[in-house]
């Protein structure tokens, strides 16, 4: 079976864009490629060096996460297969749906929410039915990056797993690559059907990072970390305590 085809007619029909859509709530979304305007740009600027400085609180949180992970690894061999299966079912029940965004080479994005129990063939069927008629016969592959992980329907380790089992829940971005290289250039518009393009909308603006206010030297940073540690119930080491005058 090729990468971009489906073997079940039911999957193809159920993945038809807009098949179950209403006027107020479409079953899928189309996001236009991000673009720079006269005064604003979708490319976030570089963060200041102070953003990457490690504080005492960061160190405490990192140490706490390492302790938790170590305890989890130590306890893992003690769990029976029954307990592990139960925990897996609980995690799956927590994410009954999976939102998939398929990103075309020109950065156009096609988004839809699937049941987490669906297979990857449902995503392929949805994408194929969103393409122009002249492009539908062309094969394509969906993949994640980095590192590159191709999700081919022809792969037996992929096609029989659910979206949850493929670790795509609760949401994932998949890249799309056509077997026809002429469609993979960034300046080639996504070959979507006209009815699909009519629903396109702009992506929400990216977050704006403000310049952090300068911190006075001395005990202010250490003091704030100590207060946070006390709120968490952690024991405050002597070097972290705020000196009182």
């Amino acid at each position: 079976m090729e990468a971009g085809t489906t073997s079940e007619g039911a999957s193809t029909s159920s993945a038809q864009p807009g098949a179950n859509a209403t006027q107020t709530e479409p079953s899928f979304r189309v996001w236009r490629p991000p673009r720079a305007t006269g005064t604003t740009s979708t490319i976030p600027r570089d963060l200041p060096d102070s953003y990457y400085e490690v504080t005492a609180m960061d160190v405490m949180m990192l140490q706490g996460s390492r302790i938790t992970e170590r305890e989890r690894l130590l306890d893992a061999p003690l769990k029976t297969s029954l307990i592990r299966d139960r925990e897996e079912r609980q995690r799956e029940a927590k994410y009954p749906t999976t939102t998939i965004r398929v990103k075309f080479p020109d950065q156009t994005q096609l988004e839809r929410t699937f049941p987490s129990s669906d297979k990857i063939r449902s995503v392929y069927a949805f994408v194929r039915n969103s393409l122009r008629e002249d492009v539908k016969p062309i094969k394509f592959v969906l993949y994640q990056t980095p590192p590159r992980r191709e999700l081919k329907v022809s792969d037996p380790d992929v096609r029989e797993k659910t979206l949850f089992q493929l670790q795509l829940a609760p949401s994932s971005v998949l890249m799309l690559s056509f077997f026809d290289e002429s469609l993979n250039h960034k300046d080639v518009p996504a070959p979507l059907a006209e009815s699909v393009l009519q629903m396109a909308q702009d992506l929400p603006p990216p977050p704006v990072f403000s310049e952090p206010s300068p911190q006075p030297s001395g005990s202010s940073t250490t003091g704030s970390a100590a207060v946070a540690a006390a709120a968490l119930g952690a024991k405050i080491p002597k070097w972290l305590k705020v000196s009182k005058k």
Side-chain angles (χ1 to χ4, degrees):
M1 186 180 299
E2 62 189 26
T5 59
T6 57
S7 61
E8 298 181 5
S11 296
T12 303
S13 61
S14 64
Q16 179 70 35
N20 300 318
T22 63
Q23 293 184 352
T24 57
E25 187 178 353
S27 61
F28 66 99
R29 292 182 177 182
V30 185
W31 304 102
R32 297 188 184 97
R35 56 188 175 183
T37 58
T39 56
T40 60
S41 172
T42 57
I43 302 176
R45 62 175 177 79
D46 292 336
L47 295 172
D49 292 340
S50 58
Y51 179 84
Y52 300 98
E53 292 180 358
V54 180
T55 65
M57 193 63 189
D58 294 332
V59 175
M60 293 173 60
M61 294 177 65
L62 179 61
Q63 181 65 16
S65 64
R66 287 181 175 177
I67 292 174
T68 302
E69 179 65 13
R70 184 183 64 184
E71 292 176 348
R72 185 188 70 81
L73 293 175
L74 290 175
D75 293 341
L78 302 179
K79 293 182 180 179
T80 64
S81 59
L82 183 62
I83 295 177
R84 286 194 295 269
D85 292 342
R86 183 181 62 190
E87 292 179 348
E88 184 72 8
R89 288 194 299 270
Q90 289 175 346
R91 285 193 294 269
E92 188 169 4
K94 185 178 180 181
Y95 302 116
T97 60
T98 299
T99 299
I100 300 292
R101 274 192 184 185
V102 176
K103 184 179 290 187
F104 286 76
D106 74 332
Q107 303 301 303
T108 296
Q109 298 182 53
L110 194 60
E111 177 184 315
R112 184 175 179 177
T113 299
F114 300 84
S116 294
S117 57
D118 272 11
K119 309 291 180 61
I120 193 66
R121 65 172 65 95
S122 295
V123 183
Y124 272 94
F126 164 63
V127 175
R128 184 166 299 281
N129 286 323
S130 301
L131 300 175
R132 297 195 317 256
E133 289 298 326
D134 61 308
V135 181
K136 285 182 179 180
I138 300 176
K139 300 177 184 179
F140 62 88
V141 63
L142 301 177
Y143 65 95
Q144 288 181 306
T145 185
R148 186 178 176 108
R149 174 198 179 202
E150 294 186 348
L151 300 170
K152 295 181 178 180
V153 178
S154 58
D155 186 347
D157 292 332
V158 172
R159 67 169 175 249
E160 298 303 327
K161 291 184 178 179
T162 66
L163 299 179
F164 177 83
Q165 292 170 338
L166 290 173
Q167 298 181 349
L168 299 178
S171 62
S172 293
V173 175
L174 302 181
M175 314 299 291
L176 181 147
S177 178
F178 288 99
F179 281 34
D180 183 349
E181 286 297 328
S182 65
L183 296 173
N184 291 332
H185 298 293
K186 294 182 179 180
D187 56 348
V188 175
L192 295 170
E194 185 62 31
S195 59
V196 175
L197 290 174
Q198 289 176 355
M199 302 184 65
Q201 53 186 309
D202 292 329
L203 280 167
V208 177
F209 297 95
S210 58
E211 292 286 351
S213 56
Q215 292 285 343
S217 59
S219 61
S220 58
T221 303
T222 305
S224 60
V227 172
L232 294 174
K235 184 179 292 185
I236 305 175
K238 181 182 294 184
W239 60 268
L240 194 58
K241 292 181 179 179
V242 181
S243 58
K244 296 182 179 180
K245 295 183 180 180

